[in-house]
Structure formats: C-alpha cells, structure tokens
Amino acid sequence: MSLARTLDQLRATMLGRPTGLLAYQAVLETLDHGFAEQVLPVGAPMPAFVLPNAEGRLIRSDVLLARGPLVLTFFRGDWCPYCRATLDALEAALPGIERAGGSLLAVTPDTGGRTLATKRAQRLHYEIAADVDHALGLQFGVLFRLPEPYRAGLAANGIDLTERQGHGGWLVPAPATFLIDPAGIVRWRHVPADPTRRAEPADVVAALAALAA
Amino acid sequence: MELHQVRYFLALAQSLNFTRAAEACNVTQPALTKAIQRLEAELGGALLLRERSLTRLTALGEAMLPLLAATYQAAEAARLQAASFGRQEATPLRLGLTRSLSVDLLAPVLDELARSLSCLELSIVRAAADPLCERLLDGTLDVAVMRAPDRLPERLHRWILFDEGLVLLMPAGHSLADLDPVPTSALAGLALIGRDDEIDAMTGPGLERRHRADDEASVQALVGFGLGCAVAGARTAPATGLIARPLDLPTHPIVLATVAGRPCGVATDGFVKLARARAWAPVR
C-alpha cells in the first residue's frame, strides 16, 4: 500500500472528530500564506550541520554527504501518527534508497532520548537525529508555530511539546523532504502545504535514481 | 518562518525602533516591516505595538522573544560549528558539576565530545550549586549540571535532565538499615556529615552537622569512620562497607544550565545538544 493511502486512512480516522478537524483546518490556514516560498529551494546549498543522533553520537553533514546523496526528512515527533506511518514507510524504502547510493536521515525537534525510543519502537535502521532548539529547521525555513486549536488538542491528549523539545515555542517543522547531492545542493524537495501529506517514498527513490543517472 | 525574519525581530526587540533595527540589519525599513508582518502572520498575532512615538513588544512578542532568540542562537552556533569542521582550533569547555553528582554520570556525553572534537580543552569545576550559578553568570563557566536549588537565577536557561531523590548513607548494620524509606523525622536524632551544599539546604538547616566535608569521597570516608551518616543523591554509589537507604523526601531536578542569550562556543553547543538529546532516565 502506498504511504498516501495509509495517510488517507489515518486522516479519515483523525478528522472524524470535530476537534481534530478544527485543529487540522487551523494548521492548513497557517501554512496557506506562501509558506513553501520560504523553504530552502531546489538549487540552494544546504546549511551544514552537526546533530546528535539517536545513539548519542554527533553526526556531521559533510561526513554524511561524503557517502553519497542524502535524503533528509523533517518529522514532528513520535506523538504524530502521520510521522510514525511515514517513518515506517521510509524503513520499507530504505533498501531502495541504499541501492541508489543514498543515505537517509530523519530529523525531529524532540529531545530527551525520544529519537532512540522511536528508533527502537519502530525498528528503524536509518539515522534519526534531534534538532535541538530547531537550529536546522530554522535554517531550512520549515518551522511554523502550531495554532491555538491544535495546541489545545495536543494538551488534551497529554502531549507537552515544551517538555519534549525543551523549548516552549510550540514550533514544529513542516514535514518536508529534501534530496541533497554530494556537493551539498538541494536537488529535489517535497514541501507539503498539508502536514498530513508526505513525500511518497517511491518518489524519493525515483528522484535519487534520476540524480545518479 | 525564515532565519532573516527572526534576525530582524531580535534587532527590533532590542532597539524598539524600526529605523535603527533596519540599519542594524542592513536592510531598508519597508523590507524589515514586511518581514516582521509575515512573521506576525505566521505566529498568529502582533509581536509589536506601533504607537506614534513608541514601539513596544506585545505579550506574544515578550513570550516569543527568548524562544526565538534561543532558536536563532542555536542556528548561529550550528553555522559556527559547521565552519569549524576540520579546523584545528582549541575548543574550550568549562563545565561546572555539583559536588554531589559523579563525573561518571556525564561519561557518555564527554566521551562523544572528546571523540568528535579533537581539540577539546575540558575543565571541570566541582562546587555547590550556588557558586556554580555565580560562575555561570560571571562568565567563568560555560555550562553547569547541578542539583537545582529551589530558586535559580532568572538569566539561566535550564533543562531538567532527570529527577533524583535523596538517600541516607550509613555504615552497614546501622540501626536505621531496616527502614525503607527512612522517615525525615529520623534525621533529627542523628549526627550528619555536613556538606555545605544544596543537599544540606534540602534536608533542613536545623540538624546536627558537627563534621563537614566538601567532596563526596571525603563525606563517605567520614561515614566509614563512624563519625555520622550522610545524605546523598540516589544515584550515588556507596563506598565499601556503606549502605544507602532512600529518604522520605521529594525528588529534586538535576538540571543543565547555561546563560540565556550568551553566544556559546562549539564545545559548549555540542555538550548541550548531546545532553539534551539523550535520555537520562527511562523515556515515558
């Protein structure tokens, strides 16, 4: 099943509740004002980074790029069911990404060992790193502030982003996906205007194959 | 939101003057105004009140200022760090650690830092929490890990790493050894080894503390000599011949602290990121 179909089913369940629908619409409205234009465009150099990975090592962008093209995807955290589904779909696509010479990195603003917990709970075999204080999200232009109805929904479900992130801004990255070539240039990107929609892993693999060709 | 929008907002929050902020950011005033308006639209409200002769921050502006400053600073630190890749520059880290916590606690983080920064110059200062706070504020420490006293100076950024209870260290076979937990009322009748740190404050000032020592090894040695019992953090490993029993007291947070708004070096940034990214206690 495609990731899009899995996400469609999830959306049908989540948005069946009136509060869920309201929160969702508030997010769409937030992202409806030229958000994608602010995001790092194709052709731009990716900002270099150092991030702590799930295993407690500092990973460097130059070291990752020395191995080949990099697929970098932002996710909000393991509290987000769409993110969990996407991480699973990327795990299924990992052999294809690696066959095409690429490596995969998923980045979340969650801290406190949640990257490792996610990796273990979902049996993921790619790099997951913590974007502490949103340093990378800001440089990629993917950050936005969750609107009030959404914040209320999270609070009602006991999800405290301030505690998870160690940052009280209610900021999350739009779940954008980037393909970076070994020279550090963005060659392909997927920036959803709706955070419940994600790059289809098959499209990521195809973009990677096109880059290698 | 974009990096430059945040930069303009921080400049504006500092000068509270559109003309001066535009000059400081090297942009035209209309460009600055437009960027601020976009940021406001995205954050869901006005950040500044523009009155005829006065510009000031709104409640949302006040609330977002330290948060956006932290994110901007993290992005700047990341750029600095990336620029230092492969350079053989000294990277100092002056780390404060509460006396009652073991350096072993920080081993995974320090190990990775030493591995990834070949020119790391680490210095560790052991002291009680209050002097560590003072040294952070006067700039002689970059970062501290401490058992948080009840009140931390406002200028310190702090993140809770984990909560820790207190235990009573005593020689094996002590009359309190069968109690679990030891009620705090039992402390009143005991000779306690004083530590002159935040643990003394947490267990109450009125107790008998005839003997004192200011490092963990000496405190435990005095307990071993039979001079009294000592209160310690629950993760403390008791020396041979000593046992630890939990005390009936609330837990206290062990915090990581830095000075808000102070630009930090590559090693400090790496330390803070590694410490905040990992789990110090089982993940809920």
Side-chain angles (χ1 to χ4, degrees):
Chain A
M1 188 161 70
S2 70
L3 174 59
R5 265 196 68 194
T6 309
L7 296 175
D8 285 344
Q9 290 173 359
L10 257 177
R11 202 178 306 112
T13 315
M14 303 288 291
L15 304 187
R17 306 165 201 150
T19 50
L21 186 61
L22 195 71
Y24 171 72
Q25 284 166 342
V27 168
L28 294 193
E29 206 172 299
T30 304
L31 297 181
D32 188 30
H33 303 284
F35 184 81
E37 293 154 31
Q38 306 181 7
V39 176
L40 198 66
V42 168
M46 175 190 69
F49 59 79
V50 184
L51 294 173
N53 74 0
E55 290 75 22
R57 311 291 294 258
L58 287 171
I59 51 172
R60 285 167 40 168
S61 53
D62 61 336
V63 174
L64 292 174
L65 290 175
R67 292 182 208 148
L70 173 68
V71 176
L72 192 157
T73 189
F74 286 90
F75 72 105
R76 303 191 282 184
D78 64 2
W79 53 270
C80 160
Y82 305 100
C83 295
R84 292 197 300 270
T86 305
L87 294 176
D88 282 341
L90 285 170
E91 176 69 18
L94 187 59
I97 291 172
E98 288 176 344
R99 261 197 310 277
S103 59
L104 174 60
L105 168 65
V107 177
T108 173
D110 273 3
T111 58
R114 288 198 164 79
T115 46
L116 184 61
T118 302
K119 205 165 167 172
R120 284 191 177 145
Q122 296 190 234
R123 297 168 195 269
L124 306 175
H125 295 86
Y126 47 88
E127 289 279 12
I128 300 194
D131 186 20
V132 179
D133 281 340
H134 308 285
L136 195 63
L138 181 61
Q139 294 181 83
F140 268 78
V142 295
L143 280 189
F144 70 99
R145 186 163 190 251
L146 288 171
E148 173 49 33
Y150 205 102
R151 301 204 295 268
L154 289 182
N157 286 293
I159 298 163
D160 180 355
L161 290 196
T162 301
E163 189 262 332
R164 284 173 168 262
Q165 300 179 352
H167 187 284
W170 292 96
L171 302 174
V172 291
T177 303
F178 299 83
L179 173 60
I180 324 286
D181 73 14
I185 304 298
V186 178
R187 298 294 293 270
W188 179 93
R189 68 169 206 182
H190 180 270
V191 183
D194 171 351
T196 71
R197 298 176 197 275
R198 309 291 169 101
E200 193 61 42
D203 295 344
V204 174
V205 175
L208 197 50
L211 185 63
Chain B
M1 72 183 65
E2 289 182 87
L3 192 70
H4 74 264
Q5 294 167 346
V6 175
R7 183 160 62 91
Y8 296 174
F9 171 62
L10 297 179
L12 193 50
Q14 196 171 29
S15 67
L16 294 174
N17 179 307
F18 279 78
T19 312
R20 280 209 297 276
E23 276 169 19
C25 296
N26 217 0
V27 288
T28 64
Q29 198 183 314
L32 181 112
T33 304
K34 196 168 164 233
I36 296 292
Q37 282 166 348
R38 286 195 71 155
L39 187 61
E40 288 178 322
E42 222 173 280
L43 294 177
L47 295 168
L48 295 123
L49 285 176
R50 302 156 180 88
E51 288 161 5
R52 189 164 307 187
S53 59
L54 191 73
T55 297
R56 57 192 172 88
L57 292 175
T58 61
L60 179 65
E62 293 278 3
M64 292 308 295
L65 177 60
L67 299 163
L68 291 178
T71 293
Y72 184 77
Q73 201 183 316
E76 284 301 293
R79 294 209 308 201
L80 197 73
Q81 202 164 38
S84 75
F85 284 175
R87 268 199 232 149
Q88 299 292 305
E89 274 172 16
T91 46
L93 173 62
R94 299 164 304 169
L95 166 67
L97 180 63
T98 302
R99 290 194 307 244
S100 60
L101 290 172
S102 163
V103 183
D104 291 345
L105 181 73
L106 304 178
V109 171
L110 293 177
D111 205 44
E112 173 57 16
L113 210 56
R115 195 195 62 82
S116 61
L117 296 174
S118 58
C119 297
L120 176 69
E121 290 177 356
L122 176 67
S123 50
I124 295 186
V125 173
R126 307 301 303 267
D130 286 339
L132 289 180
C133 290
E134 281 164 29
R135 295 195 59 170
L136 281 170
L137 292 173
D138 74 18
T140 54
L141 278 181
D142 300 309
V143 60
V145 175
M146 53 198 172
R147 196 177 305 278
D150 287 337
R151 251 179 298 169
L152 276 176
E154 250 180 52
R155 274 183 62 211
L156 296 186
H157 258 312
R158 79 289 309 260
W159 299 274
I160 296 175
L161 300 181
F162 57 92
D163 288 309
E164 193 187 45
L166 295 174
V167 295
L168 188 65
L169 295 172
M170 61 189 89
H174 192 275
S175 61
L176 294 177
D178 294 334
L179 296 181
D180 185 354
V182 175
T184 40
S185 56
L187 296 180
L190 284 181
L192 282 179
I193 310 299
R195 330 175 51 117
D196 293 329
D197 67 1
E198 58 285 354
I199 286 185
D200 275 5
M202 286 166 189
T203 44
L207 302 171
E208 188 204 326
R209 295 187 180 90
R210 183 148 43 109
H211 308 288
R212 333 186 68 83
D214 67 6
D215 69 278
E216 195 61 38
S218 305
V219 167
Q220 295 212 23
L222 297 190
V223 177
F225 300 155
L227 295 178
C229 296
V231 180
R235 292 195 184 197
T236 306
T240 312
L242 303 191
I243 54 169
R245 292 290 176 264
L247 268 169
D248 187 13
L249 279 170
T251 58
H252 280 271
I254 305 297
V255 301
L256 172 71
T258 60
V259 179
R262 183 179 293 161
C264 67
V266 169
T268 307
D269 183 62
F271 181 89
V272 171
K273 276 184 183 162
L274 284 168
R276 286 178 58 193
R278 74 191 304 277
W280 295 85
V283 177
R284 268 174 290 153

